[in-house]
Amino acid sequence: MQLLEQLIAGPLRGMEQLEQQIFALRFAQHLPDVERPLRQLYAHLPNYDAWLEKLITLVANAYAARPAELRQRDLRRVHEPDWFQQSDMMGYVCYPDRFAGTLRGVAEKIPYLKELGITYLHLMPLLKPRPGASDGGYAVMDYRQVRDDLGTMDDLAHLAAQLRQEDMSLCIDLVCNHTAKEHAWAQKAQAGDPEYQNYYFMYPNRTMPDQYERTVREIFPEFKSGSFTYYEAFDRWVWTTFNEFQWDLNYANPAVFGEMLDIMLFLANQGVEVLRLDAVAFMWKRLGTDCENQPEAHAILQAFRALSRIAAPGLLLKAEAIVPPPQLVPYLGQGLAANKECEVAYHNVFMVMLWSSLAEQQVALMTHALQQMPAIPSRTSWLAYVRCHDDIGWAVTEENAAAVGLNGYLHRSFLSDFYSGRFPGTYARGATFQFNPRTNDRRISGSCASLAGLEVAMEQQDWAAMDLAVRRIVLLHSLILAFGGLPLLYMGDEIGLLNDDSYLQDPNLAGDNRWLHRPMMDWELAEKRHDGLSVNGRIFQSLRRLITARKQTPALHAEAAARPVWTHNIHVFGLLRESPHGRLLILGNFSDHAQTVPFYRLAELGFDGPMRNKAADETIPAWADLQIEPYGYLWLEKE
Ligand code: GLC
């Protein structure tokens, strides 16, 4: 308790007694969760106790600096801890410049977001990147400044406040695995300062890099080979998992942990409510392993969470770990850390399965793969999405493929062929991203609409094909909206924006075809959103109707159990959701033909008798086989 007294006499001195008491309560509540992971990481270091005291003082400083309005919002969140799990949550993801020019421009677009029913806005990287190529802003040189052309940190805080007024939460990226080589820490390291060299992984020769490279995966094999870069100027090999200009941070050094925590709380105090923690799987290196998903990477996240809960308990941590299913679930917390790691994580497996089912027109792999995934802790949620700014990597395991009679390798090849447009007769138009000749792995770039067939159909002026493409787009969204996590709509998908190859004109972007699906918002096209006869209007209105339906269906709360079920029709995906608010059977037909789910199967699942389709607000005739139109979907609830 000595430390607490010191804090009250120190950083918390000017605060009202009640505010000090709140801090003391949180401190007591979270201290065990702070100490468990931090001991695991750093207890062996000399001066561990003194370092921990400094760290907690940093947290107390952040609490004292937290604006009153945000502290009040924290209280609201603490009293309503499931706020992000509720069915009225709806996310939107965009690049601020591509969506609206600047941060002020984004504020002007709030009415558009409201029209869609958005309550959560993820603005893609906006902290000051290195000049020139910056991996879409994922190479940050200053975490406390906003990218010049977007505005200032004050603009960001102001935008967050405007969003709060409209009950929307702001999410931004925190690139915590690496910095740009232009970051001040990296600059000092380059100048030879040993203190800052220890912020990164730097080696005088190839001995260690060679050993590590025996087991680590190459993430961007087309950009550069290997995970290390040699710099002649200071004669060192530096760990660079992604691009040459992105230097991996060394979290074995507690100073790095402290710096990142400080940045986190600084951003939270600007009004950021969700931090998307980038590339968290890579945050700890261990010789002889793939250096991904190490127990220490989880400990870092758990410590971040417990410490931020003391200063800013309204803050959510979102894990970006695009890893296979068994490694993915633990980011939401396991064992003692259940509900105590990240609150939300991208469900990349579900996303991949949606596209896999669409290509195959069958749902066996998706049903099986999702059945294999363990349930997640009650106070966490998946992020369900159809597309994002990144490529699609075919996270299909050999075991899951084999279980449904597929060969994993061949199936992944088929999917790459199908979506890159090579497969005979495919409707999809995408591009191959990062072909790895050693493994034959090929990932896919392309916008939702182009991958779903809209681009080819429009080019050919084929109305029937356009109709099918629209149905595919809406089907995929109907499933992310009903999955039971927080759904994310990716900018432009609501009006069916196609691939955009204008990035080829910009030398800083031309080498990375992920820009194909990072278009500028087409506001002229968006004008058509109310014209239900246009393709764009049809997509927009269908999605808006589904979003409204979702908000009116409390049984879609993320906490409810969701179980993929066999529908006795190989083309129809089924998801059974059981919640205190009721039971739902979500159905999606992945075939371009009408399909039937037999009545006896519906009855077995408890869906006989009169039912309501919440997705279209219609009554379903009871006691009969259920006909589902091509790419049709239903959210069934018993009347
Ligand atoms: C994440 C981002 C991706 C970026 C990478 C490196 O995976 O989503 O766009 O290239 O991290 O920062």
Side-chain angles (χ1 to χ4, degrees):
M1 272 302 122
Q2 222 182 355
L3 173 59
L4 191 58
E5 280 155 26
Q6 276 174 37
L7 295 175
I8 290 179
L12 309 179
R13 194 180 45 236
M15 304 189 86
E16 281 174 26
Q17 212 184 355
L18 181 61
E19 300 279 18
Q20 294 175 343
Q21 283 165 349
I22 290 174
F23 182 91
L25 282 173
R26 288 187 192 147
F27 175 76
Q29 183 190 354
H30 296 292
L31 198 59
D33 296 326
V34 168
E35 289 197 291
R36 194 176 356 94
L38 284 183
R39 279 223 192 87
Q40 180 185 347
L41 293 165
Y42 305 121
H44 59 283
L45 298 174
N47 304 327
Y48 169 75
D49 291 325
W51 172 78
L52 183 61
E53 270 193 30
K54 262 179 48 195
L55 198 69
I56 306 246
T57 309
L58 179 161
V59 171
N61 277 317
Y63 176 75
R66 191 153 171 82
E69 193 206 330
L70 296 179
R71 262 186 271 139
Q72 207 173 32
R73 198 159 169 97
D74 286 337
L75 291 179
R76 202 173 117 191
R77 296 312 195 198
V78 169
H79 286 279
E80 195 186 8
D82 67 339
W83 65 274
F84 62 97
Q85 299 181 299
Q86 296 173 12
S87 76
D88 61 354
M89 287 296 290
M90 184 67 213
Y92 192 83
V93 185
C94 63
Y95 288 88
D97 52 336
R98 297 187 163 239
F99 181 61
T102 61
L103 294 179
R104 286 173 191 223
V106 172
E108 284 165 23
K109 297 296 181 194
I110 289 177
Y112 177 79
L113 298 172
K114 289 207 76 166
E115 186 183 332
L116 264 172
I118 302 305
T119 57
Y120 167 108
L121 180 62
H122 172 195
L123 295 179
M124 295 293 294
L126 52 77
L127 301 178
K128 187 171 183 167
R130 73 188 292 268
S134 68
D135 187 19
Y138 285 104
V140 178
M141 64 181 283
D142 190 342
Y143 294 92
R144 292 171 201 268
Q145 273 192 61
V146 165
R147 207 175 98 183
D148 293 336
D149 59 322
L150 295 177
T152 63
M153 195 48 84
D154 282 344
D155 290 341
L156 185 70
H158 188 60
L159 174 61
Q162 284 171 294
L163 290 169
R164 277 199 301 281
Q165 289 276 316
E166 304 290 343
D167 264 321
M168 285 187 216
S169 298
L170 176 63
C171 167
I172 71 167
D173 283 82
L174 178 57
V175 188
C176 51
N177 175 69
H178 44 266
T179 71
K181 67 177 178 185
E182 287 76 8
H183 191 284
W185 307 331
Q187 293 287 304
K188 288 182 201 162
Q190 288 173 52
D193 183 337
E195 187 186 336
Y196 286 93
Q197 291 198 333
N198 196 26
Y199 273 43
Y200 300 93
F201 298 91
M202 298 198 162
Y203 304 99
N205 54 46
R206 281 291 308 177
T207 311
M208 292 310 290
D210 282 341
Q211 289 189 36
Y212 279 114
E213 275 183 357
R214 252 174 243 148
T215 48
V216 300
R217 167 166 88 100
E218 278 184 299
I219 304 303
F220 289 153
E222 283 180 6
F223 293 165
K224 65 169 177 52
S225 79
S227 297
F228 297 84
T229 305
Y230 178 67
Y231 294 91
E232 213 180 290
F234 50 101
D235 190 25
R236 285 285 182 284
W237 288 88
V238 179
W239 200 311
T240 52
T241 296
F242 295 92
N243 286 284
E244 170 275 321
F245 49 76
Q246 290 162 304
W247 289 13
D248 288 49
L249 283 165
N250 173 18
Y251 279 89
N253 177 357
V256 170
F257 179 91
E259 299 263 23
M260 205 45 84
L261 177 72
D262 201 25
I263 291 168
M264 234 173 196
L265 298 177
F266 167 77
L267 294 171
N269 280 357
Q270 310 304 311
V272 173
E273 291 191 62
V274 185
L275 284 173
R276 174 193 181 277
L277 304 179
D278 186 63
V280 290
F282 300 89
M283 285 166 80
W284 195 270
K285 326 287 186 196
R286 172 173 280 113
L287 204 58
T289 72
D290 61 0
C291 296
E292 292 181 50
N293 313 302
Q294 297 299 305
E296 290 85 351
H298 290 283
I300 294 166
L301 296 172
Q302 289 156 23
F304 276 156
R305 182 191 186 269
L307 287 156
S308 65
R309 283 278 142 164
I310 300 176
L315 182 71
L316 293 190
L317 300 186
K318 157 158 126 185
E320 190 253 350
I322 307 304
V323 297
Q327 281 83 41
L328 178 57
V329 179
Y331 286 96
L332 294 170
Q334 258 186 339
L336 281 178
N339 287 320
K340 291 176 176 174
E341 197 165 318
C342 292
E343 283 82 10
V344 279
Y346 288 89
H347 202 327
N348 75 299
V349 177
F350 182 44
M351 180 276 291
V352 162
M353 289 300 150
L354 289 173
W355 290 103
S356 169
S357 307
L358 208 58
E360 253 199 300
Q361 301 204 27
Q362 297 206 357
V363 301
L365 182 60
M366 170 152 71
T367 307
H368 177 77
L370 293 180
Q371 279 180 344
Q372 298 311 301
M373 292 191 65
I376 59 173
S378 58
R379 280 283 167 263
T380 65
S381 171
W382 286 119
L383 295 162
Y385 62 114
V386 174
R387 283 301 283 122
C388 71
H389 70 291
D390 277 331
D391 49 290
I392 307 177
W394 301 116
V396 175
T397 63
E398 304 307 327
E399 300 75 36
N400 285 342
V404 296
L406 293 171
N407 173 298
Y409 175 81
L410 294 179
H411 185 63
R412 290 190 298 271
S413 294
F414 158 68
L415 293 172
S416 296
D417 286 342
F418 190 88
Y419 286 110
S420 61
R422 289 188 185 195
F423 192 78
T426 181
Y427 51 72
R429 181 160 297 166
T432 302
F433 179 70
Q434 303 296 330
F435 169 55
N436 187 337
R438 260 181 281 173
T439 58
N440 247 337
D441 187 41
R442 284 173 291 152
R443 283 129 70 183
I444 291 293
S445 288
S447 80
C448 171
S450 291
L451 295 180
L454 192 59
E455 188 169 336
V456 171
M458 304 250 287
E459 225 169 65
Q460 298 174 348
Q461 289 288 306
D462 180 339
W463 299 103
M466 275 186 233
D467 174 63
L468 289 176
V470 171
R471 285 166 181 265
R472 290 185 197 107
I473 295 168
V474 179
L475 167 68
L476 297 189
H477 285 91
S478 79
L479 291 172
I480 62 156
L481 282 159
F483 188 74
L486 169 50
L488 298 180
L489 181 56
Y490 184 61
M491 187 206 87
D493 289 349
E494 73 275 21
I495 51 168
L497 286 192
L498 305 176
N499 288 342
D500 172 4
D501 59 15
S502 63
Y503 74 99
L504 292 168
Q505 312 310 320
D506 181 339
N508 285 327
L509 311 181
D512 186 340
N513 70 19
R514 287 176 297 174
W515 290 99
L516 198 58
H517 52 263
R518 300 170 181 175
M520 301 290 274
M521 183 60 177
D522 188 337
W523 288 107
E524 216 172 294
L525 205 60
E527 287 299 312
K528 287 199 189 166
R529 66 188 185 274
H530 302 127
D531 170 7
L533 293 177
S534 72
V535 164
N536 319 85
R538 220 180 114 193
I539 299 173
F540 186 91
Q541 292 186 10
S542 304
L543 297 194
R544 204 178 55 167
R545 233 175 289 129
L546 280 168
I547 294 168
T548 308
R550 174 178 151 84
K551 290 178 193 274
Q552 291 162 356
T553 309
L556 290 176
H557 192 292
E559 194 184 6
R563 187 159 55 92
V565 289
W566 300 101
T567 59
H568 293 198
N569 180 327
I570 197 71
H571 308 287
V572 180
F573 179 64
L575 189 68
L576 185 63
R577 302 186 41 86
E578 315 205 50
S579 96
H581 296 283
R583 301 173 81 236
L584 288 174
L585 180 62
I586 312 298
L587 297 172
N589 175 8
F590 277 80
S591 147
D592 56 12
H593 287 81
Q595 296 294 333
T596 302
V597 176
F599 169 68
Y600 74 85
R601 183 56 181 151
L602 294 172
E604 277 172 1
L605 294 168
F607 287 82
D608 45 0
M611 287 177 293
R612 203 121 197 106
N613 173 16
K614 302 277 288 183
D617 205 22
E618 61 188 5
T619 302
I620 300 293
W623 323 113
D625 291 348
L626 187 62
Q627 304 287 336
I628 312 181
E629 56 185 36
Y631 300 118
Y633 51 84
L634 297 98
W635 302 351
L636 292 180
E637 191 175 67
K638 264 188 90 158
E639 292 258 75

